Amino acid sequence: MPKLIDLNCDLGEGFGHWAMTGAPDDQLMPLISSANVATGFHAGDPMQMNRVAKLCHQHSVGLGAHPGYRDLVGFGRRHIHATSEELVNDIIYQVGAMREFGRRYGVPLQHIKPHGALYMEAARNEDLSRHLVETLQRYAPGLILFCMDISKTYEVAKRLGQPVVREFYADRDYDDSGSIVFARHVSAPDPKKLAAKCVRACLENKVETVTGKTITVEFESICFHSDTPGALEIGQTIKTALQENGVTIAPAAMVLAENEKA
């Protein structure tokens, strides 16, 4: 039963005057321990990235890069056919930009989490995952990679020794294989049901799938999305429920460090 868990959220998902969010970033930041910041390809821009990096510094939240497909129109949720080399170069370009904004405020880049359709592609594409992890091993061997438990990304990262954190998705459904059900459009969920789902996952390592089957899940971090309608109430309800059930929330780097001690 995990006593220490990371709570992460995707932030900075706007562009200029437009924002794809169910709540302002500055209201979500106090609720979380790690932030996945959009890096310009699916959403985000230099002003957004700078603002969220500064918020991470102010709230002692782990800073993460959230690189996506080059798909502003589709919000990174459309698959793009490209070679592994092309995609990894796009990822490194975005990660480098986020790292520099963090350095501006003395905040080290804690992790990388691919976004949307790119996250799902890496999960099933061993060549892409291997290319990404091997690249990280050369230039950022300490950078934590976020992914699903049942993914090629996790398998490759563990095999090659890259720090890796598995996620549990509060506001996404699971299929019987243990994969999240990818969604382009999400309706407003019941925050209390999501909180109960997270508490059960932490205490029992169990989740109910879309078919009603109960499966085992392994994870070090819980994710909810800022663009889910009602995101603020969702984050508040989840955090309160976890704390009331004896789960301590901490940045991903701290969670991994404590797990290594155990």
Side-chain angles (χ1 to χ4, degrees):
M1 183 182 75
K3 294 290 187 181
L4 199 65
I5 206 77
D6 179 48
L7 182 60
N8 79 77
C9 188
D10 304 343
L11 301 181
E13 291 187 319
F15 193 82
H17 295 291
W18 292 271
M20 276 285 293
T21 180
D25 291 342
D26 59 351
Q27 293 181 25
L28 292 170
M29 189 67 76
L31 303 175
I32 63 176
S33 49
S34 292
N36 320 307
V37 187
T39 46
F41 277 28
H42 78 279
D45 59 32
M47 292 297 290
Q48 303 271 1
M49 294 163 70
N50 179 73
R51 177 179 54 79
V52 181
K54 186 176 182 179
L55 285 171
C56 285
H57 168 68
Q58 293 171 345
H59 294 273
S60 299
V61 167
L63 175 65
H66 198 33
Y69 278 131
R70 199 186 297 259
D71 180 28
L72 281 174
V73 172
F75 196 62
R77 289 176 174 164
R78 302 181 297 183
H79 176 75
I80 293 178
H81 291 284
T83 67
S84 294
E85 182 178 8
E86 288 178 277
L87 294 176
V88 170
N89 285 340
D90 279 354
I91 290 170
I92 296 305
Y93 179 91
Q94 295 173 80
V95 169
M98 192 68 253
R99 182 178 58 187
E100 291 308 300
F101 279 108
R103 287 179 60 182
R104 189 175 195 175
Y105 298 101
V107 180
L109 192 64
Q110 173 190 249
H111 68 277
I112 170 179
K113 174 184 171 179
H115 166 81
L118 181 56
Y119 181 97
M120 299 302 291
E121 176 62 20
R124 58 181 171 260
N125 187 331
E126 184 168 357
D127 180 69
L128 173 57
S129 289
R130 179 174 47 79
H131 197 148
L132 173 58
V133 173
E134 287 177 347
T135 301
L136 292 177
Q137 295 264 282
R138 290 192 295 272
Y139 107 105
L143 195 63
I144 300 170
L145 180 59
F146 278 33
C147 60
M148 287 187 293
D149 178 33
I150 60 148
S151 65
K152 296 298 181 183
T153 313
Y154 181 66
E155 291 177 10
V156 172
K158 290 296 287 184
R159 184 167 70 242
L160 298 183
Q162 188 71 21
V164 62
V165 157
R166 298 167 294 182
E167 293 186 284
F168 177 77
Y169 279 83
D171 51 359
R172 295 292 185 268
D173 291 325
Y174 280 80
D175 65 23
D176 290 350
S177 75
S179 174
I180 58 172
V181 178
F182 185 66
R184 290 189 178 181
H185 304 285
V186 181
S187 57
D190 181 344
K192 291 183 179 179
K193 287 185 178 179
L194 297 190
K197 172 184 170 183
C198 292
V199 169
R200 184 187 185 195
C202 286
L203 301 184
E204 303 175 16
N205 291 110
K206 302 292 183 183
V207 68
E208 185 175 318
T209 72
V210 290
T211 68
K213 181 180 179 181
T214 297
I215 61 172
T216 299
V217 285
E218 301 288 344
F219 61 95
E220 292 80 32
S221 183
I222 294 173
C223 172
F224 70 98
H225 295 81
S226 64
D227 63 308
T228 298
L232 182 59
E233 186 179 358
I234 289 169
Q236 291 169 333
T237 307
I238 289 173
K239 182 172 185 177
T240 298
L242 292 176
Q243 292 174 332
E244 288 177 347
N245 283 273
V247 178
T248 300
I249 297 169
M254 186 180 299
V255 173
L256 284 188
E258 288 300 313
N259 287 351
E260 288 176 3
K261 291 178 183 178

